């Protein structure tokens, strides 16, 4: 089997499996940005393979490669966060106040969340606010608004997803 065939075969499988691979990574790790980055990195790794090898199941090979790359990424991110928190700890502890850049970051995120909540449909916003800010249970909200508990859960999930999406869009 030639080098060109090996690469074009893996590329063809990667192209045809792109959406499936991305969906798999989102389900497994819960982050669309990570999934997109890992699929791109998988593409780069396939391009960097120096020696042709026979791969009996190229799709399974690519999914395993992508899962391993995602795990490596998460591990390095976790290590980076530990390193950052250790470095910034003395400044935070010294006077008990958060650093000014963190205050600004929190204020910006709060403004984004306020706008996101305002964008929700009225009933969804009402359910979301009752649950998150008045600590009402699903049963209490259902009774209070005369809707099913299932509908309460749907509104809360929709509100959380919308807020998460808005924060992710702002970070990009």
């Amino acid at each position: 089997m030639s080098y060109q065939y090996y690469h074009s075969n893996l590329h063809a499988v990667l192209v045809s499996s792109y959406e499936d691979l991305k969906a798999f990574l989102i389900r497994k790790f819960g982050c669309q940005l990570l999934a997109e980055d890992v699929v791109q990195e998988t593409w780069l790794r396939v391009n960097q393979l120096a020696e042709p090898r026979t791969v009996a199941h190229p799709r399974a090979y690519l999914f395993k490669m992508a899962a391993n790359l995602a795990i490596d990424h998460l591990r390095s991110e976790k290590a980076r966060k530990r390193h950052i928190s250790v470095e910034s700890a003395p400044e935070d502890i010294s006077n008990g106040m958060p650093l000014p850049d963190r205050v600004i970051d929190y204020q910006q995120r709060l403004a984004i969340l306020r706008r996101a909540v305002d964008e929700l449909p009225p009933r969804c916003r009402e359910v979301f606010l009752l649950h998150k800010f008045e600590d009402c249970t699903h049963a209490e909200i259902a009774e209070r608004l005369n809707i099913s508990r299932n509908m309460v859960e749907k509104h809360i999930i929709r509100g959380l997803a919308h807020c998460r999406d808005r924060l992710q869009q702002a970070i990009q």
Side-chain angles (χ1 to χ4, degrees), residues 19 25 36 91 112-113 116 164:
E19 290 300 326
L25 292 168
E36 290 170 353
E91 294 175 350
I112 292 164
L113 286 172
R164 180 199 63 225

Side-chain angles (χ1 to χ4, degrees), residues 97-152:
M97 299 297 290
L99 297 171
D101 60 334
R102 286 191 183 169
V103 171
I104 292 169
D105 182 51
Y106 296 151
Q107 289 172 341
Q108 290 172 342
R109 288 174 189 243
L110 185 57
I112 292 164
L113 286 172
R114 282 187 181 132
R115 284 192 303 273
V117 170
D118 287 344
E119 293 170 357
L120 293 172
R123 181 53 64 121
C124 183
R125 180 176 49 246
E126 185 177 14
V127 170
F128 185 77
L129 292 173
L130 285 171
H131 180 67
K132 287 296 179 187
F133 296 102
E134 293 186 29
D135 291 324
C136 293
T137 66
H138 293 196
E140 291 169 338
I141 297 169
E143 184 179 324
R144 186 170 173 177
L145 300 178
N146 198 25
I147 59 176
S148 70
R149 291 176 78 180
N150 189 31
M151 201 63 209
V152 169

